[in-house]
Amino acid sequence: MKQQPENQQQPSLYLEVCFQNEEPRLPLHTSIVLFLLSYCECKFFKVYLVFKKPSSSESLRSQLPEHLDSSDVQSEALPQLVRDCRLPAVLDETGQLCRAGLAVVLRHIINKTIEADPSRNDVLALLGFKKTCLKACAEVSRWTRLCEIEIPSAVEEHLQNPANDDQQVPLSILTLERRLAEPVRVHNDDKIRRRKLQEQRREESAESQENLDSESGIGQSSQACDGLELRAALAKLSVDSVPALTTRENSEIRKVKTADLPPLEHVFAEGLYFTLTDVVLLPCIYQYLCSLQARAAATLHHLPHLLRWYGRVQEVPGVLRAAKACGLLLSIPQAPTSGLPILSAEENPTSLPVEEEEGREMAPEVPFVGGPRPTMTKLKENGIEAVFTPHPCPSWTLPWESLPGAINPTEGKMSNIRAVRKMQQLNNLVAMVTELARPGYTIVDFCSGTLLTVGIFLSLFKVILIENKEESLVRAQSRSAELGLKNIGFIQANLDYFTGPFHIGVALHACGVATDMVMEHCIQAGAAFVISPCCYGFIQNAVKFSFPKSKRFQETLTSKEHMIICRFADQTAVQLPPDRRLIGKQCMGLVDLDRSWAAETHGYSVQVMTMEPESCSPKNNMLVGRPLQKRGLEVTAVLAVNYV
């Protein structure tokens, strides 16, 4: 087995190899990454296949693209940053920046391919409209979670135990089936819908002249419409062989109201265009359909839209080539002509409701009526009021005059007033960390660069920055290199993909449920935490969280009443009247009291306090939690800034 070189000359891509019946095989997330590498014809990375026990990748060669520069490595030989994360992961040339998680790694491969060859419009198109495809983290976005986690996991489970659910389609795949059945909306779709109407009318006229029967005519019209939508989708990839769409509709078509235009049908997973989501889903659905054909072909009756999507994906130039290079022998399975009928959503008891669009997920689910006073009164009548613990060291400050100017907020582009407030916020942050930290602790700093202050001030400790926004993390790494810091590592990942041990978690102004995500991660690891919440109005029930969180609040408030408190917790801006800001501060205290009580059920002592001076931020709460029983792990402090 080849060993990893000490001095890396190119980015290293680490892909997991698992075992089934003592034989090595590639899990789906590894197959997905290999498929994208093949589609992009990317040779930028040195690939390492990671084994958890002695073995070889020799039997897997048919599933590895020929151009791939790959080696085998044992999991215990991985660099520490990679070992602290779930695979797949990419380690950059410096060995200090690790990108982890399926969506993050896939987007990085696309960006590197475009960077090397800007003419690859087909690869650029994978990022979707505004380059946001699968960018939202799975902890918040239901769509990302479905595609990145739920469908691959469901297919993996099915492949390992195919006999257990031959007749039952996984819920995540049913959700995708229903999503594909919906009409789609894309940017500037009005023009495409008018062209579709024009082609429909042209086909109807041709059918009338040829005296075709109505049944045959409907079929040809549907095929014509399907052809237009597929041509529009392929034209997005700049494929020369695809004829351009007509440039202008006739006057009669232009007069048709938008509401009367025909809807667009799904061509690909996210709508009209082939994106990274289709790349993720194709190996999953391929494996699932292969299993169904071998064991439960009748189940295909329940998946007509999925089969249609599966066929269309294969028409995308480059897909069949990339699939063949990865050992995916694509074919279009045919549903049996007899057997079970296709079930509607109402008839299928295992169907799931179609998920919300990502852009609407942060919107409140219910309207807000009235102010917070009735809800606050209800809490008070039940003995629940906001309580703030006095700050233990209100005048503590970092030695700003002795720290490098590059990390001082006053040296940046922000105004002097804002810079002073940022310094005050960092004073509070570091003060609480230093109270919790002990010599020999490891500190992990998730930030966009401002918290490099902590890395320098605590230079005797190992510091790791974790951030899910690439731009912020690259900027922080650049500043670290300028300062010559050797004790700092960087990880770009969603919080769930960081699996390293830690004992202190810190989040400065973590938006909405990001606060709850950091708290949950700390609790699972038995870590202390120092968290300054932000954007209370964005708090809402999500995949992993429901509110209120604590038993006492649940017994007193409904979810709607809790949302009212969250909404008014954002009413703390300095320009608001003092009495309104006071109510906002009390609402902040109540929301964080609910969080603290929920944490206490896991064996924590939690204090809610106010940053000093209070004017340093309208969102000046801090949650400081200590586990009552410490674990004997290497301590890691996790600092998160603007995670969502």
Side-chain angles (χ1 to χ4, degrees):
M1 179 173 292
K2 298 179 183 179
Q3 295 300 314
Q4 181 184 354
E6 293 293 332
N7 298 318
Q8 299 181 35
Q9 300 300 317
Q10 63 184 129
S12 298
L13 172 58
Y14 296 89
L15 302 176
E16 181 183 7
V17 176
C18 62
F19 288 83
Q20 189 168 6
N21 298 324
E22 299 300 318
E23 293 295 323
R25 75 173 185 88
L26 300 180
L28 276 172
H29 53 74
T30 294
S31 297
I32 292 166
V33 175
L34 292 173
F35 175 67
L36 179 64
L37 287 172
S38 180
Y39 179 80
C40 296
E41 299 175 290
C42 180
K43 304 176 183 178
F44 191 78
F45 302 94
K46 170 65 177 179
V47 177
Y48 290 94
L49 299 176
V50 181
F51 291 80
K52 292 184 178 180
K53 57 184 179 180
S55 187
S56 168
S57 61
E58 199 59 38
S59 62
L60 304 173
R61 288 298 165 188
S62 63
Q63 302 174 55
L64 304 178
E66 290 185 2
H67 73 267
L68 208 64
D69 179 15
S70 65
S71 297
D72 301 343
V73 64
Q74 289 288 344
S75 56
E76 60 267 20
L78 295 177
Q80 189 60 51
L81 278 180
V82 177
R83 205 181 309 173
D84 285 343
C85 300
R86 289 165 51 194
L87 301 182
V90 172
L91 194 65
D92 77 342
E93 300 91 332
T94 69
Q96 289 186 299
L97 172 56
C98 178
R99 294 173 171 88
L102 182 60
V104 166
V105 167
L106 295 177
R107 289 178 58 87
H108 183 60
I109 292 172
I110 291 172
N111 287 329
K112 283 300 181 182
T113 302
I114 298 168
E115 183 181 301
D117 184 1
S119 67
R120 291 296 301 271
N121 291 328
D122 56 331
V123 176
L124 178 62
L126 295 178
L127 294 178
F129 184 57
K130 295 185 177 180
K131 301 181 181 180
T132 58
C133 183
L134 299 185
K135 187 175 183 179
C137 62
E139 296 94 334
V140 176
S141 167
R142 294 177 181 177
W143 176 246
T144 300
R145 186 175 185 84
L146 176 72
C147 300
E148 182 185 21
I149 298 176
E150 293 178 352
I151 289 178
S153 297
V155 174
E156 285 280 13
E157 183 178 352
H158 171 82
L159 294 176
Q160 294 176 21
N161 302 285
N164 293 344
D165 56 353
D166 283 347
Q167 302 301 321
Q168 184 175 5
V169 181
L171 297 181
S172 57
I173 292 182
L174 281 174
T175 301
L176 177 62
E177 169 68 19
R178 294 190 62 192
R179 187 68 170 265
L180 293 172
E182 286 188 323
V184 300
R185 295 190 62 85
V186 296
H187 178 65
N188 204 23
D189 66 357
D190 180 270
K191 183 181 295 185
I192 302 175
R193 292 167 66 193
R194 291 187 188 280
R195 292 171 183 168
K196 180 173 182 176
L197 177 62
Q198 183 166 290
E199 290 206 5
Q200 281 181 335
R201 292 187 175 180
R202 186 183 299 120
E203 287 298 318
E204 290 171 358
S205 175
E207 292 162 10
S208 176
Q209 293 176 5
E210 296 174 8
N211 296 318
L212 297 175
D213 61 83
S214 60
E215 182 178 354
S216 174
I218 293 175
Q220 291 190 13
S221 177
S222 174
Q223 292 172 4
C225 299
D226 179 70
L228 177 133
E229 287 160 312
L230 191 57
R231 290 202 311 277
L234 296 178
K236 183 77 171 180
L237 304 176
S238 298
V239 181
D240 295 336
S241 60
V242 178
L245 298 175
T246 55
T247 58
R248 189 170 179 82
E249 308 82 18
N250 61 44
S251 59
E252 181 183 353
I253 297 297
R254 291 198 300 272
K255 293 177 182 178
V256 176
K257 295 180 179 180
T258 301
D260 296 331
L261 294 173
L264 297 177
E265 298 178 0
H266 266 82
V267 178
F268 298 112
E270 292 204 353
L272 199 60
Y273 304 121
F274 182 74
T275 66
L276 181 57
T277 301
D278 299 283
V279 171
V280 172
L281 294 175
L282 182 58
C284 301
I285 301 305
Y286 164 76
Q287 296 283 4
Y288 181 67
L289 292 179
C290 287
S291 176
L292 286 186
Q293 281 194 300
R295 297 176 177 271
T299 306
L300 295 174
H301 276 293
H302 301 298
L303 306 171
H305 297 94
L306 190 66
L307 294 178
R308 192 179 188 189
W309 164 85
Y310 185 70
R312 283 167 164 171
V313 167
Q314 297 180 51
E315 297 184 46
V316 175
V319 165
L320 291 178
R321 170 193 56 78
K324 183 179 180 180
C326 296
L328 305 180
L329 305 178
L330 301 183
S331 61
I332 302 177
Q334 299 295 322
T337 56
S338 61
L340 296 175
I342 297 174
L343 299 181
S344 66
E346 292 75 16
E347 295 171 323
N348 194 332
T350 59
S351 296
L352 290 180
V354 177
E355 306 290 354
E356 294 289 331
E357 294 288 344
E358 286 189 20
R360 296 181 296 183
E361 287 181 352
M362 297 304 292
E365 298 176 358
V366 293
F368 293 110
V369 180
R373 286 185 176 86
T375 304
M376 295 174 68
T377 299
K378 184 177 180 181
L379 289 169
K380 186 175 181 179
E381 290 173 349
N382 285 272
I384 301 175
E385 294 185 79
V387 178
F388 296 93
T389 301
H391 199 298
C393 44
S395 59
W396 190 94
T397 180
L398 282 157
W400 293 104
E401 66 283 351
S402 64
L403 295 174
I407 64 166
N408 194 313
T410 59
E411 299 294 323
K413 297 181 180 179
M414 63 181 68
S415 66
N416 289 338
I417 294 177
R418 186 181 174 195
V420 169
R421 289 176 178 169
K422 181 61 67 176
M423 293 167 65
Q424 293 169 341
Q425 295 165 21
L426 291 172
N427 286 339
N428 283 272
L429 182 76
V430 181
M432 302 313 302
V433 172
T434 53
E435 278 212 344
L436 294 167
R438 298 292 181 271
Y441 282 13
T442 299
I443 298 177
V444 182
D445 178 353
F446 296 70
C447 67
S448 59
T450 54
L451 290 184
L452 286 174
T453 303
V454 181
I456 295 174
F457 182 70
L458 301 173
S459 58
L460 297 178
F461 309 102
K462 181 181 178 181
V463 178
I464 300 175
L465 281 70
I466 302 180
E467 170 65 69
N468 71 340
K469 298 176 182 176
E470 182 175 22
E471 301 84 356
S472 299
L473 201 64
V474 170
R475 183 168 59 248
Q477 186 192 26
S478 176
R479 296 178 71 185
S480 174
E482 291 175 8
L483 295 167
L485 301 178
K486 303 298 184 182
N487 63 321
I488 299 182
F490 303 83
I491 297 177
Q492 181 196 351
N494 299 335
L495 201 56
D496 278 354
Y497 285 101
F498 173 68
T499 59
F502 65 97
H503 283 86
I504 305 174
V506 184
L508 177 60
H509 288 161
C511 290
V513 297
T515 290
D516 305 280
M517 290 159 56
V518 173
M519 287 180 67
E520 180 195 51
H521 208 69
C522 292
I523 290 171
Q524 290 177 347
F529 54 80
V530 180
I531 302 175
S532 172
C534 192
C535 301
Y536 291 79
F538 283 155
I539 295 173
Q540 65 167 354
N541 294 337
V543 175
K544 300 180 65 175
F545 305 104
S546 60
F547 298 89
K549 299 181 69 177
S550 68
K551 183 178 180 181
R552 285 192 64 186
F553 270 77
Q554 290 171 355
E555 293 173 346
T556 308
L557 296 185
T558 64
S559 180
K560 178 180 177 180
E561 289 170 329
H562 182 270
M563 285 186 178
I564 293 174
I565 294 293
C566 292
R567 180 194 181 190
F568 282 89
D570 273 344
Q571 306 297 308
T572 55
V574 293
Q575 63 267 30
L576 295 174
D579 57 339
R580 190 169 178 181
R581 295 204 309 270
L582 178 60
I583 292 176
K585 176 66 174 178
Q586 292 172 341
C587 288
M588 284 172 53
L590 289 168
V591 174
D592 290 334
L593 179 63
D594 176 45
R595 286 166 158 162
S596 68
W597 283 352
E600 287 175 357
T601 62
H602 295 279
Y604 275 70
S605 170
V606 185
Q607 296 173 317
V608 182
M609 61 182 68
T610 301
M611 290 183 180
E612 293 289 347
E614 292 188 34
S615 59
C616 71
S617 173
K619 299 297 180 291
N620 53 28
N621 274 11
M622 279 198 304
L623 285 163
V624 181
R626 297 173 174 85
L628 299 179
Q629 292 183 345
K630 297 182 179 179
R631 301 180 186 178
L633 300 175
E634 178 189 18
V635 175
T636 300
V638 182
L639 287 77
V641 173
N642 298 330
Y643 186 78
V644 175

